[in-house]
Amino acid sequence: MERKRSDIIADTIEGLIFDGTFPDGARLDEVQLAERFEVSRTPVREALQRLALTGLTEQIPRRGVFVRQPGPVELLEMFEVMAELEAVCARLATARISDQALAKLDAINAECALAVAAQDHGAYYSANERFHALIYAQSGNAFLEQEAKRLQRRLQPFRRMQLRARGRLQQSMSEHEEVVKTLAAQDGARAADVMRAHVAVQGEKFHRLVGMLKAAE
């Protein structure tokens, strides 16, 4: 399915933020962006709204849209909460996941494996999002699913960015396979531990992510 133009623009702006073209605090002007991408202001406005949902930009009334990069402490706190939410999703899913959903997770992992082989970070992240969303849904708790999705959107650019660290795609793929094994074995405690470790960015992973953000400044 062809991607919406606004989504393509949002991903491009996200990249320009991370490579330092649009630094923290920079104002993102709709007219200038529309000229840059050779489009009307409508897809640009939609792209900026999507970025605002992730927290990467901030809409200030009567002033405009500005780049907003979270500090290391805020970023760590968000990832800690995300890891715990996903751990609960995985634990509940061990008792509630359907055979069809387990088969779908295997199919998604096959897509991830192809993306790893091709070193296609975009394709991997797309499949990765569907992998996690399916586990949220299989938790059987609609409120938990919505909260996990909300925070996942907030962390989307940073989760995407950390996949570009050397060796991270292969490591993430291995962790996915372990998650599916624990779900199939209905081992709730192990599933929670594996998912928590998969999502958390403490220690080396966190320092690597912060280093990538600083390099983009």
Side-chain angles (χ1 to χ4, degrees), residues 3-201:
R3 298 179 65 207
K4 287 179 60 179
R5 182 170 295 180
S6 60
D7 288 338
I8 295 172
I9 293 172
D11 288 347
T12 304
I13 294 173
E14 178 184 297
L16 293 170
I17 291 172
F18 282 131
D19 72 12
T21 301
F22 297 140
D24 189 31
R27 184 173 181 272
L28 300 176
D29 184 86
E30 281 186 15
V31 175
Q32 292 179 1
L33 289 170
E35 292 176 353
R36 183 185 191 119
F37 294 110
E38 299 180 338
V39 296
S40 70
R41 293 173 63 179
T42 298
V44 171
R45 187 177 300 115
E46 292 174 354
L48 293 179
Q49 289 172 348
R50 200 196 90 173
L51 290 171
L53 288 175
T54 71
L56 200 56
T57 65
E58 181 179 12
Q59 175 84 48
I60 300 178
R62 295 183 296 279
R63 289 187 59 197
V65 179
F66 296 82
V67 175
R68 182 185 180 277
Q69 292 271 31
V73 173
E74 182 182 1
L75 192 59
L76 176 60
E77 289 175 344
M78 287 190 290
F79 267 103
E80 284 181 341
V81 174
M82 186 80 258
E84 292 303 322
L85 285 177
E86 295 219 25
V88 175
C89 286
R91 179 174 60 80
L92 293 176
T94 57
R96 300 169 180 176
I97 193 166
S98 67
D99 290 339
Q100 293 86 348
L102 280 171
K104 182 62 175 176
L105 288 176
D106 281 331
I108 294 173
N109 269 348
E111 293 181 45
C112 288
L114 291 174
V116 171
Q119 286 297 289
D120 187 335
H121 296 84
Y124 186 92
Y125 185 76
S126 177
N128 179 71
E129 275 197 314
R130 287 183 281 116
F131 180 90
H132 286 269
L134 184 54
I135 293 174
Y136 304 161
Q138 292 297 306
S139 72
N141 185 311
F143 178 78
L144 175 62
E145 178 185 2
Q146 291 306 310
E147 289 300 296
K149 284 183 176 179
R150 182 184 61 80
L151 187 52
Q152 196 277 342
R153 284 194 299 270
R154 177 69 176 84
L155 286 171
Q156 186 179 65
F158 307 101
R159 294 180 73 154
R160 191 202 314 268
M161 188 181 199
Q162 59 94 18
L163 287 174
R164 295 189 174 275
R166 186 164 55 88
R168 180 56 190 152
L169 285 185
Q170 292 87 340
Q171 181 185 11
S172 177
M173 179 73 233
S174 177
E175 291 165 358
H176 275 199
E177 292 172 342
E178 187 63 24
V179 167
V180 175
K181 285 180 184 177
T182 60
L183 291 174
Q186 297 183 304
D187 187 342
R190 176 64 180 161
D193 288 343
V194 170
M195 183 62 88
R196 184 182 296 109
H198 173 59
V199 176
V201 292

